[in-house]
Amino acid sequence: MSNSPAMTEFPPPQILTYPASSAPVLIAQGAEGRLYKTTYLLPDQPCALKYRPSKPYRHPILDARLTRARILAEARVLQRCRREGVPVPAVYATNEKAGWLMMEWVDGAPVRQRINEWLGARPDTEAAQVEAQSADQTPLISLMQRIGSAIGRLHRTGVVHGDLTTSNMILQRPKEHQHNGHTGEGAMEKGKALEGHVVLIDFGLATQSSSEEDRAVDLYVLERAFGSTHPRAEELFEQVLQSYKETFKQAPAVLRKLEDVRMRGRKRSMLG
Amino acid sequence: MSDIPMTKKRRIALGCEGSANKLGIGIISHDTLSGSPTVLSNVRDTFVSPPGTGFLPKDTARHHRSFFVRVAKQALRDAGISISEIDCICYTRGPGMGAPLTSVAIAARTLSLLWDKPLVGVNHCVGHIEMGRAITGASNPVVLYVSGGNTQVIAYAEQRYRIFGETLDIAVGNCLDRFARTLEISNDPAPGYNIEQLAKQSADNILLDLPYAVKGMDCSFSGILSRADELAAFMKQKAAKGEDTFTPADLCFSLQETVFAMLVEITERAMAHVGSNQVLIVGGVGCNERLQEMMGAMAAERGGSVYATDERFCIDNGIMIAHAGLLAYETGFRTPLEESTCTQRFRTDEVFVKWRD
């Protein structure tokens, strides 16, 4: 769901055609589905509606089967995470027949955006690489630790995300900011820019798994995504793994597996 | 080996392909100024095994050895060129079946020594992609490469064809071929073609329940094949007792609908990922009109279009090896005789694509 809307003229799902205090907004458009922000449920409580439209190329029976299975699987994974205290949005409602899943709207900005803003605001150091030692790195290091801990808790629950990137994590606005500034971005105090809870989102590719291989690939995907999105902070990724280790008891085995995965890449070498 | 004179108007390559059961030899010319390719000849001979069986490496290799001279002579006759006009001999380095690859590599080396022409080893997958681009004119598409041995979703970035998604076990074409064996459908002209024709006879458009195995941009077909085989056995049992049951046509229809939906889905995900709305289908399974139709429906929804070729270029052929080999040759690439090996494992992303920006 990371792509910005390419085409704007989509018919919204029927539920969003009913009266609400504000018009639904299309937030993201991926290959799979679309994410809307809507106040359909309560006038003062925005929620996120993930809609999987039917695919014209697919046989109708197969289409209905897949949509149903995926909506329910995502809802189950979120529910499981929620129960175990992993920071994910709450599930409000599902209608697997109509192809939608309604969730809590997490107020905040993607971690990717926050990190880039924060890095962009600093003067270019000689090394262009952020040094982990220097004192004013503390907020960023702390954010890395919160990310590692969130993933640790996720894996502890027996769930792998399948598409971990800094775009699929929301840095939740701290409580005192939540009700004054509405959703105005960037107006936050500099020192507090990296504060807040890290909430994991988009479980469309998540599976229930406790295999070391799957967990290691999860970390590897994030490591690669992190390296290409935030090359200047690449060195700090070690902090993510460190705090992952502190949160999750089985982490050492996963990190050993990660070494193997790094060597071969995500794909195994295969026959022609 | 002399350098190419600058006055030359065209460069000519002869390509030898034999990584699976098709032996293909093709001759292509590139205009030296515009680079535009012209197919001079494209000859193919297919080793067809009896219904219910697949092609074994040793029999396939024997077929290639027996037919190489005949096919090569035909290709030269069709092209109407003299041997002295040929600039290089291109051959498939891999991936593919070991024994057939080796037979054709030996033949290519022989031609190279006999005629004193440089050799160019070509990656089979890159051959498919380059030929597909040349024929359809798709400039920078997401490529779905689907054949009996390969299933990959590929996009070009920075001098390499990068694999975004692929099968985790058997290729989609292998799944179809092996199911044709279960049903003992003819392998002539190709098992997949006969499955496609049989699927059209499925009367009620029933979809039997088969597993659907997509994981991100990757997919898996072995479980689907097992389930389809089970259903086929169940059908035969019931039919033997004279009970009412679904038909082989229904099975073929359900299998195609399921595996093609998976392929279209992973392709769509790759297109969303790289932000492209062109899709090119290459490889033997790419001839399937139902797959092309489904892909077209998906691409149209994204405001794009699908590019596909017909059996002359989709199914393994010598011309694609000649074309991709000549592109590399023009950038100065040569395969010295002592390095003119072949390999069963040769990933698409291992090739440095010097000829593209």
Side-chain angles (χ1 to χ4, degrees):
Chain A
M1 306 282 298
S2 57
N3 279 62
S4 59
M7 301 163 281
T8 40
E9 295 304 310
F10 290 117
Q14 198 181 8
I15 184 175
L16 293 185
T17 62
Y18 302 142
S21 67
S22 60
V25 183
L26 181 63
I27 301 294
Q29 150 78 19
E32 291 295 286
R34 302 171 209 148
L35 189 77
Y36 292 92
K37 183 179 182 180
T38 166
T39 52
Y40 166 76
L41 211 55
L42 287 172
D44 60 349
Q45 181 154 11
C47 55
L49 186 106
K50 188 168 181 175
Y51 174 50
R52 292 177 179 270
S54 81
K55 297 285 183 187
Y57 64 82
R58 246 175 349 216
H59 191 286
I61 295 175
L62 181 62
D63 192 61
R65 197 183 107 201
L66 291 176
T67 303
R68 179 188 148 82
R70 287 171 179 179
I71 295 276
L72 292 181
E74 187 168 350
R76 275 192 203 103
V77 160
L78 286 170
Q79 195 55 35
R80 183 169 176 168
C81 289
R82 194 81 186 168
R83 201 172 54 221
E84 304 283 334
V86 184
V88 301
V91 176
Y92 291 159
T94 59
N95 183 341
E96 70 277 9
K97 218 170 167 187
W100 57 254
L101 170 68
M102 199 182 275
M103 294 166 282
E104 173 186 359
W105 178 263
V106 182
D107 193 26
V111 167
R112 173 180 52 92
Q113 186 189 330
R114 285 277 176 260
I115 294 181
N116 282 343
E117 283 167 3
W118 198 80
L119 288 175
R122 339 238 92 210
D124 253 312
T125 52
E126 186 73 311
Q129 271 280 352
V130 179
E131 283 169 29
Q133 276 76 22
S134 77
D136 61 347
Q137 295 303 318
T138 322
L140 192 50
I141 291 174
S142 148
L143 174 61
M144 295 292 132
Q145 288 165 345
R146 275 171 285 152
I147 293 173
S149 146
I151 302 168
R153 273 177 285 166
L154 176 75
H155 284 182
R156 196 169 60 193
T157 310
V159 172
V160 292
H161 185 279
D163 189 20
L164 279 179
T165 61
T166 45
S167 310
N168 282 338
M169 299 169 189
I170 302 283
L171 195 54
Q172 196 171 26
R173 206 177 291 270
K175 276 278 178 282
E176 64 266 27
H177 291 278
Q178 257 182 29
H179 290 294
N180 49 22
H182 215 59
T183 43
E185 313 272 311
M188 205 178 279
E189 286 170 61
K190 266 234 171 96
K192 294 187 171 171
L194 296 182
E195 279 184 14
H197 281 298
V198 172
V199 181
L200 304 173
I201 60 160
D202 195 0
F203 283 73
L205 292 173
T207 45
Q208 307 211 17
S209 161
S210 16
S211 95
E212 283 157 19
E213 165 80 21
D214 291 344
R215 287 168 171 165
V217 169
D218 231 14
L219 292 176
Y220 179 71
V221 167
L222 178 62
E223 186 177 55
R224 292 293 300 268
F226 194 85
S228 54
T229 341
H230 317 289
R232 288 176 61 191
E234 206 171 354
E235 280 190 355
L236 290 180
F237 190 76
E238 198 45 49
Q239 296 289 335
V240 173
L241 298 180
Q242 188 56 41
S243 114
Y244 176 76
K245 214 153 88 185
E246 284 157 19
T247 318
F248 180 40
K249 216 166 66 190
Q250 284 155 278
V254 178
L255 294 177
R256 270 197 302 278
K257 195 79 186 179
L258 179 61
E259 297 287 321
D260 295 347
V261 177
R262 277 190 190 126
M263 294 289 284
R264 63 147 214 256
R266 186 166 66 92
K267 311 286 188 190
R268 278 161 294 205
S269 173
M270 62 176 293
L271 269 164
Chain B
M1 198 193 309
S2 62
D3 278 326
I4 313 147
M6 291 314 288
T7 52
K8 210 164 165 171
K9 278 174 103 171
R10 59 178 189 173
R11 295 192 188 100
I12 296 181
L14 178 141
C16 312
E17 152 63 27
S19 61
N21 68 333
K22 286 99 188 166
L23 172 69
I25 298 179
I27 299 175
I28 202 161
S29 79
H30 286 184
D31 187 287
T32 12
L33 290 175
S34 68
S36 74
T38 310
V39 176
L40 301 178
S41 66
N42 188 11
V43 184
R44 177 166 57 213
D45 197 281
T46 306
F47 172 60
V48 178
S49 60
T53 66
F55 51 92
L56 295 172
K58 66 169 190 221
D59 301 332
T60 312
R62 189 185 306 123
H63 165 269
H64 291 359
R65 287 195 298 271
S66 326
F67 281 84
F68 191 93
V69 175
R70 240 175 288 181
V71 173
K73 279 185 167 165
Q74 187 64 45
L76 281 170
R77 258 199 307 277
D78 288 359
I81 55 157
S82 70
I83 287 160
S84 64
E85 288 178 85
I86 297 175
D87 290 288
C88 60
I89 307 291
C90 311
Y91 76 99
T92 310
R93 267 205 81 198
M97 285 177 132
L101 277 175
T102 315
S103 300
V104 174
I106 289 172
R109 266 178 237 137
T110 310
L111 292 184
S112 158
L113 291 172
L114 196 65
W115 297 339
D116 191 24
K117 308 282 182 194
L119 271 172
V120 177
V122 175
N123 179 297
H124 182 86
C125 315
V126 172
H128 271 296
I129 298 169
E130 291 303 347
M131 203 63 214
R133 287 180 57 226
I135 296 293
T136 62
S139 51
N140 190 19
V142 165
V143 183
L144 176 68
Y145 171 30
V146 276
S147 68
N150 295 280
T151 304
Q152 298 179 335
V153 180
I154 300 158
Y156 175 81
E158 289 166 43
Q159 254 65 52
R160 280 187 206 274
Y161 285 110
R162 296 181 195 270
I163 303 171
F164 280 78
E166 62 189 317
T167 177
L168 300 169
D169 40 55
I170 60 174
V172 61
N174 190 242
C175 176
L176 295 171
D177 290 355
R178 281 160 70 176
F179 189 63
R181 264 178 252 167
T182 304
L183 295 180
E184 297 186 30
I185 299 174
S186 164
N187 288 331
D188 188 20
Y193 176 80
N194 292 324
I195 285 190
E196 184 182 357
Q197 302 315 313
L198 197 51
K200 287 179 188 162
Q201 294 165 25
S202 174
D204 312 318
N205 218 9
I206 321 171
L207 190 84
L208 300 163
D209 215 9
L210 291 170
Y212 185 93
V214 163
K215 193 181 170 189
M217 280 186 251
D218 297 330
C219 51
S220 150
F221 298 99
S222 63
I224 298 172
L225 176 62
S226 301
R227 182 67 188 137
D229 283 351
E230 274 173 19
L231 286 173
F234 175 76
M235 174 189 71
K236 279 180 196 163
Q237 242 178 27
K238 281 199 110 179
K241 287 189 221 153
E243 287 170 36
D244 203 26
T245 178
F246 47 86
T247 62
D250 296 336
L251 271 172
C252 290
F253 174 78
S254 303
L255 182 61
Q256 278 200 160
E257 289 299 312
T258 307
V259 296
F260 292 166
M262 289 165 54
L263 295 174
V264 176
E265 182 179 343
I266 61 171
T267 309
E268 181 170 22
R269 203 166 285 150
M271 286 166 78
H273 193 80
V274 303
S276 162
N277 62 5
Q278 286 186 335
V279 53
L280 170 67
I281 315 180
V282 299
V285 183
C287 298
N288 191 300
E289 285 170 1
R290 178 60 187 144
L291 174 60
Q292 293 181 4
E293 184 190 357
M294 288 167 74
M295 197 63 87
M298 180 274 282
E301 209 194 16
R302 302 189 64 83
S305 45
V306 61
Y307 296 82
T309 58
D310 60 30
E311 59 84 27
R312 288 170 300 167
F313 305 106
C314 253
I315 295 178
D316 290 352
N317 58 80
I319 204 76
M320 68 185 207
I321 300 301
H323 178 57
L326 195 51
L327 287 173
Y329 176 83
E330 285 157 353
T331 68
F333 182 86
R334 307 285 184 274
T335 304
L337 185 70
E338 53 277 9
E339 290 168 25
S340 62
T341 52
C342 49
T343 168
Q344 290 172 301
R345 292 174 176 79
F346 188 3
R347 286 178 65 85
T348 316
D349 49 13
E350 283 173 44
V351 178
F352 181 73
V353 182
K354 203 176 171 184
W355 56 89
R356 281 190 70 174
D357 300 328

